[in-house]
Each structure stands twice: as structure tokens, then as C-alpha cells.
Amino acid sequence: MSKRLILILCSLFLMFFFFISLNISGKITSNEKINLLAEIKTSTDDTYQLFYDTGKGYNESDSIPYFVSGSSEFQQIKFILPVADIVSLRLDFGSKISEIQIKAIYLQNARNKTNITDEFDLKHDIGSYSTNNGLITFTSIGTDPFINTKDISKSFYSLKNKSSIYILNIVISLFFTIVFFFLLKTNSIHIANLINFLKNNLQSTILIVTFILLIFIPLFSNILPKKQLVSNNENRVLASKPELTFKNINTFPKEFEKYFNDNFAMRNQLLTLNNYIKVKTLQISPNPLVVLGKNDWLFYTGDNAPESMDDYRGIVRFTDSELNTIKSNLETRKKWLNQKGITYLLCIAPNKQTIYPEYLPNNIRKINDETRMDQLINYLEKNSNIDVLDLRKTLFENKSGDMLYYKTDTHWNEYGAYYGYQEIMKSLNSIYPNLKPIPISSFSIDKSSGLGGDISNMLGMKAEYVDSYIHLQPKFNTHVTDLKVDNNMYPNPEQLVTKQINDEKLPKLIMFRDSFSTSMIPLLSLHFNKSIYIWDHKFNGNIIEREKPNIVIDETVERLLPTLLLPNSIEVK
């Protein structure tokens, strides 16, 4: 064998072995080994969620859900962080009202741990809290209570392995390359004969190499670190890799089997193929949150599947006690606001299946014509002075024209949002005569087609669906600009929207909302000196006292009507 060929083979071996050793050592000292551990006590079952910011802000894709079971004892919840280059953390405590106690929160890897409890800010919709001997006690009172840190990158850095992993890998790779070199020198004649044989049997060699690659590529894919923690196709947390210890030696095989079943190579692609066959060929939904409708319409069943569909069918009901609680909450809000000279409006955006039941599959039929929305509105009409802006009528009246909701998304489109905005302005006009809806003729209408919406993404088939998109563009000049505020003074600051016109003659608006208001914000903002849109269904009196608005709007989508059961904040009496 020539010296040149030996040199080439040794160089290739060095690079290959260095790559393999780097991955193996990375499994030992990698980012995935840094965990966030929280010692908590709560009596309520709920799903917590840890968001991690790598310098780009918080977003849903960089988050880890964790289901917490209620217990009278302290328990340890563990979030496995996929990266170590993290700037800050945010821990959300679910949506249920519960008393929570925190003993400690810390970061930990295989060698060290550091307590970061004091790094968290305790002011984001968690209600009043107390600290006694390091034990934090509070009650989560909103739909999005959370605590978050500022920059804690130094804490992550202190946990990293400070030895030079690259130098170590180079030394190991050089050692084995020298061993490989001597093996080549010793067996050069046999290796040369093997190379000549492979050259003379090129076709068979390619077939054998291809076969070996097909076998081993999935194996190497399983060795590489997994960054996906949540399956979009299944909307659940994937099993994390267990660590073998003396304590779990009996349960390790089952835990590892769960991990492997959730993380084997090409799993995502196979799930997408499975979903495609079920949806397009068998007309079966692989996701309990999604109902396949007629003509490629998709419907969302709600987070507590199939609650929204059971609501449509008239199966889910408010109890008398719940109706009375909602009535009491709303009357207290209205009375408290009216005493301050503030107008209050409750607005309900209908579910898509409420407006377009004709596209539901034939097997979903009404058992009772009365839904929870009917139940609540009828109850309030008979027993209260609360006026509810029911948007169903205007949407039914206008559905004969262009579509008002997306076929593959949970939300209404900009047409549907316009009619919702129009009714809000008409309702406010009786008190504020200058507030009049801008006619739709004042907007140019652009239509386009694009990929499917959020429901098609739940099927892992966003690219397989096409939806129609409508954009309303004002033909007039607008003077709306962003209003600069301290986002951290509001719940759910990432979703906060603030606008202004700088016209003191116009009233000031605060809206507590959900995602259905997003398309109405550009329209509503045209009418207010300042408008603050808070993505939260908890009625926050503290914000109202601070901002002193003229108008407060509660907007909720029909499927989230149970959030009206949430108690008012302590300021509202």
C-alpha cells in the first residue's frame, strides 16, 4: 500500500474518530444534562410550562410542558433543558386557581447544582405571596400566572464543564489514529488486496455499502442529541432519556423503552405519513383535538377534548351554581367600574362550529339545542342587568357572502373580525356618540391563498392544506402608533399590544382578551387615544386603577366561557 494512500486513510480516520468522540463526550457534558428542578407543593392537578430564552425572546417552540399531580407533600418537578446557552427562564403555573408553595428552584447537571430561587421575579399574576424561612407561598389567581428571571446566563456557565473537551478529544483521536496507522502498515498487503477486490466488484460494493448505510444511518441518528421535546403531531411531551442508577435499575428498561419509542430515527416523518394516510385516505383524525369536517374544513375540539364539540351538541352544561358565580363576578365588575365612571362591555366571539355547523361531519349532531352560551345569555337576561354582546347574529347575517372563518384554523378571518368590531362600536356608540364603525367600503380587500392554519398544524399537515386569506387595507391615512409601556407591569407581557393616536379628545380603552381579538386590534385602535390589549381573562383591577380607562371590554371566545368563573382581583369590590 502506498504511503500516500495510508496518509489519506489515516486523515479520514482522524476526522471520523474526532467527530464520533466529540459526540460521545458531548453526551456526557452536553447541554441536555442541565436540568431545572423545582421543589413545590400544590393540591391541584395542572400543566406547568417552562419557557427558556436563548436571546431571541420567549416563544412556544422553546418551552417544556410538565404535568403536575396535586399532592399534600412537596414534590420535585424536573425540566430537561435542551440547550445551555440560555439567557432567562419563565415558569408558568397552568390555568387553575391553586395555592402553591415553592421550597427551592435550582439548576443541576451531573456534577453540580446552583440555587436560582432568588433570581425569579414574583409579580406576574400570582396574587399575594409570602416568604417564610425561604418558603414561598402564593395563590395563582389568573389564567396565566408565571415567574421569570432576568439574565442568568452566568448560572448556566458555572455548571458547564470547564476542562477543554476539544483538546481531550484531539489527544484521544490522535492516539487511536496512531494505532490505526500501525495496523495499516502491518496489514498493508491484505488491505491492498481488499481494495483491489472492491475495485473489481464495484457494483456489488456499492450495493453492500448502500445496504450498510441504510442499516446504520438510523442508528447514528438515535445517537445524536434530540432537541425536540414536544411532538407537534401529538401535542404532547416526548419521553426524556432516563439515567441508569441503582435506584431505578428495575424500572430503567421500561423507561428506556418509552424514550426509544418516542425518539427513534425518522419518527416524525413516519407519524406525518401515518397522519396523511389516515386523513386523506381513511378520513380519520389522528389527533383528538381535531375534527375532520366536510370539504377539507377542520374544527378544533378545545384543550379539554371534546368539550367544545360537546358544548355545540348541548351536552356540556353550566350548573346553577356556576351561572350564579359568573353573574356575581360580572355584576361586581360592572358596579365597580361604573362607580369610577368607566363603561363595561362583555363580548363573546362564537366558535367556528357555531357559525358553520354545515361543514361538521354527519356524526356530530345536536342532542340539545341550548349551548352554554345560550344558557348564560338567557340566565343573565332574566336575573341580571349585564348586557352581553352576542356576535352570532351579525355573523349569521353576513355569512352568505365571503367566508368569515378560516377553513383550517380556529379563528375568524379579517372579515369576521370586522363584523365583530362593527358590533362593538355600535354598542359603544350609545354612550360615546363620536365612536362610529368605519364602513367596510373604506377598506380595500386583498385575497390570497396560503398554507393551512393552526388546526392543520396539529395534524402535522400544514403544507397539505390550502386556505384562503383576506386582508383589509385602509384607504385612508391612519395615525395609530405603538404606545411604549413597561410590558412587565402586565400579565402575559409577550402578547401585550398597546396603541395610541395622541388625541386627548378620544377615550381610552383597556381590553382583556384572547386570540380572537388579534384581528380586531388594528380596527379598534383607530378610535382611541390609548388602547391596551391584555391577553388574559382575569379581571385585573390593579391595572384599571393605574391606567384609568374610559372603557373596559371583556372579550372571550365561546369555548373559553368557563374563564368567567375566575374570581375578580382583590381590588374589585
Side-chain angles (χ1 to χ4, degrees):
M1 185 183 296
S2 68
K3 292 182 179 180
R4 182 180 179 184
L5 182 57
I6 291 176
L7 180 62
I8 293 173
L9 289 174
C10 286
S11 300
L12 291 173
F13 180 86
L14 175 63
M15 289 186 291
F16 176 77
F17 196 88
F18 178 73
F19 173 77
I20 295 298
S21 65
L22 197 62
N23 274 280
I24 293 174
S25 61
K27 296 294 286 182
I28 300 172
T29 59
S30 70
N31 321 347
E32 292 185 345
K33 293 299 180 182
I34 296 182
N35 307 319
L36 182 129
L37 303 177
E39 295 181 11
I40 67 160
K41 182 165 70 174
T42 176
S43 59
T44 306
D45 294 348
D46 210 336
T47 299
Y48 292 6
Q49 193 163 10
L50 179 70
F51 291 84
Y52 52 92
D53 176 15
T54 58
K56 301 178 181 177
Y58 295 117
N59 60 78
E60 197 71 25
S61 61
D62 294 335
S63 68
I64 309 164
Y66 189 100
F67 179 77
V68 177
S69 298
S71 172
S72 60
E73 303 294 331
F74 275 95
Q75 58 182 300
Q76 188 178 85
I77 61 175
K78 178 180 178 181
F79 297 95
I80 301 174
L81 298 168
V83 293
D85 297 325
I86 291 175
V87 177
S88 60
L89 295 167
R90 164 179 159 168
L91 180 58
D92 288 34
F93 294 100
S95 59
K96 297 180 181 178
I97 301 170
S98 173
E99 182 176 276
I100 298 171
Q101 290 184 306
I102 301 176
K103 185 181 292 184
I105 304 175
Y106 49 90
L107 297 173
Q108 182 185 56
N109 64 7
R111 299 165 305 284
N112 305 301
K113 72 176 181 180
T114 179
N115 193 312
I116 60 169
T117 310
D118 293 338
E119 301 285 349
F120 282 91
D121 184 10
L122 307 173
K123 67 178 184 182
H124 300 288
D125 208 14
I126 65 172
S128 59
Y129 66 89
S130 62
T131 303
N132 185 16
N133 294 327
L135 183 66
I136 301 169
T137 303
F138 65 89
T139 301
S140 62
I141 58 173
T143 57
D144 192 26
F146 68 91
I147 57 177
N148 71 321
T149 70
K150 293 184 179 179
D151 189 339
I152 56 169
S153 52
K154 291 182 179 179
S155 298
F156 282 93
Y157 180 77
S158 67
L159 289 175
K160 293 182 182 180
N161 186 2
K162 296 176 183 177
S163 63
S164 178
I165 190 67
Y166 289 100
I167 294 176
L168 179 62
N169 284 326
I170 290 173
V171 171
I172 294 173
S173 301
L174 284 172
F175 172 77
F176 281 100
T177 302
I178 292 171
V179 173
F180 181 68
F181 169 78
F182 282 109
L183 287 174
L184 288 179
K185 291 287 289 183
T186 306
N187 300 279
S188 60
I189 296 176
H190 297 294
I191 294 172
N193 291 335
L194 176 61
I195 292 173
N196 289 329
F197 173 79
L198 294 176
K199 286 181 179 178
N200 295 328
N201 298 273
L202 184 61
Q203 186 175 355
S204 301
T205 301
I206 293 174
L207 182 62
I208 292 170
V209 171
T210 302
F211 179 74
I212 292 173
L213 286 175
L214 288 174
I215 292 176
F216 283 97
I217 284 176
L219 176 62
F220 282 114
S221 297
N222 286 329
I223 292 174
L224 294 175
K226 301 293 188 299
K227 292 186 177 180
Q228 186 182 22
L229 298 173
V230 180
S231 171
N232 291 330
N233 291 335
E234 302 159 281
N235 196 36
R236 69 175 181 87
V237 183
L238 298 176
S240 57
K241 188 175 182 179
E243 297 179 10
L244 179 60
T245 63
F246 286 110
K247 292 182 179 180
N248 74 339
I249 194 167
N250 292 327
T251 60
F252 179 80
K254 289 185 177 180
E255 291 175 358
F256 186 84
E257 182 181 8
K258 289 180 181 179
Y259 164 75
F260 182 82
N261 289 340
D262 272 3
N263 295 277
F264 63 82
M266 299 182 68
R267 181 180 185 276
N268 238 17
Q269 291 81 356
L270 292 172
L271 279 175
T272 299
L273 178 62
N274 171 70
N275 290 356
Y276 185 88
I277 293 172
K278 284 186 174 180
V279 172
K280 295 297 185 180
T281 304
L282 303 176
Q283 286 294 301
I284 298 173
S285 173
N287 189 330
L289 300 178
V290 178
V291 169
L292 306 182
K294 301 173 184 176
N295 299 338
D296 282 342
W297 277 65
L298 301 176
F299 294 88
Y300 180 54
T301 63
D303 292 337
N304 299 317
E307 184 179 10
S308 289
M309 284 301 168
D310 285 348
D311 185 16
Y312 164 79
R313 298 177 67 202
I315 297 174
V316 178
R317 313 286 291 167
F318 281 128
T319 66
D320 290 342
S321 176
E322 288 173 332
L323 289 169
N324 187 61
T325 298
I326 294 174
K327 167 183 171 291
S328 177
N329 285 344
L330 297 178
E331 286 179 341
T332 301
R333 294 177 192 181
K334 182 176 181 180
K335 180 180 178 181
W336 183 77
L337 289 171
N338 289 350
Q339 288 175 345
K340 297 178 179 295
I342 302 172
T343 302
Y344 177 66
L345 178 63
L346 174 64
C347 171
I348 303 175
N351 293 333
K352 183 164 72 172
Q353 54 265 36
T354 298
I355 304 302
Y356 289 101
E358 63 268 29
Y359 293 106
L360 286 169
N362 292 331
N363 63 314
I364 296 182
R365 298 176 181 175
K366 281 184 172 291
I367 303 299
N368 186 335
D369 286 335
E370 188 179 54
T371 65
R372 284 185 301 189
M373 188 171 176
D374 295 317
Q375 217 186 344
L376 178 62
I377 291 174
N378 292 337
Y379 182 85
L380 293 176
E381 284 181 351
K382 294 178 181 178
N383 301 283
S384 176
N385 63 346
I386 297 294
D387 294 322
V388 181
L389 185 56
D390 180 0
L391 298 178
R392 290 177 296 183
K393 182 179 178 181
T394 185
L395 293 173
F396 278 129
E397 288 174 351
N398 291 283
K399 66 176 285 189
S400 59
D402 284 291
M403 301 304 301
L404 304 178
Y405 284 68
Y406 296 108
K407 294 174 62 176
T408 63
D409 198 280
T410 56
H411 302 94
W412 54 22
N413 58 25
E414 291 191 22
Y415 258 147
Y418 173 82
Y419 291 115
Y421 145 81
Q422 186 181 62
E423 290 304 306
I424 289 175
M425 299 309 296
K426 286 180 180 178
S427 180
L428 295 175
N429 177 255
S430 60
I431 303 173
Y432 297 88
N434 292 330
L435 294 183
K436 297 178 181 179
I438 298 172
I440 199 165
S441 58
S442 297
F443 298 87
S444 61
I445 300 171
D446 299 327
K447 298 180 181 180
S448 62
S449 297
L451 298 178
D454 58 4
I455 312 181
S456 63
N457 193 48
M458 294 177 193
L459 298 174
M461 297 176 61
K462 191 176 182 72
E464 281 73 29
Y465 280 90
V466 177
D467 214 330
S468 299
Y469 293 85
I470 294 173
H471 307 282
L472 303 183
Q473 302 292 343
K475 298 177 183 178
F476 50 90
N477 294 326
T478 66
H479 303 285
V480 178
T481 60
D482 291 333
L483 173 65
K484 293 183 179 180
V485 298
D486 182 359
N487 286 31
N488 292 321
M489 296 180 69
Y490 301 85
N492 201 5
E494 290 77 23
Q495 301 293 343
L496 180 72
V497 179
T498 54
K499 299 291 182 179
Q500 65 178 356
I501 293 182
N502 282 331
D503 185 347
E504 296 293 338
K505 296 178 181 179
L506 297 176
K508 184 176 181 179
L509 167 72
I510 285 182
M511 174 184 273
F512 298 103
R513 70 182 187 98
D514 50 44
S515 57
F516 261 72
S517 287
T518 302
S519 297
M520 290 196 293
I521 288 175
L523 299 168
L524 290 171
S525 301
L526 296 169
H527 301 274
F528 298 97
N529 176 36
K530 293 180 181 179
S531 46
I532 299 173
Y533 306 93
I534 302 167
W535 194 323
D536 191 11
H537 284 118
K538 172 185 165 293
F539 193 80
N540 193 312
N542 183 48
I543 293 175
I544 293 170
E545 288 184 329
R546 184 178 70 241
E547 299 295 343
K548 296 178 172 56
N550 304 101
I551 300 168
V552 171
I553 298 177
D554 258 344
E555 178 276 319
T556 180
V557 65
E558 182 181 354
R559 67 173 179 268
L560 296 181
L561 281 176
T563 60
L564 296 175
L565 291 163
L566 290 169
N568 300 319
S569 60
I570 57 175
E571 299 85 7
V572 182
K573 298 178 182 179

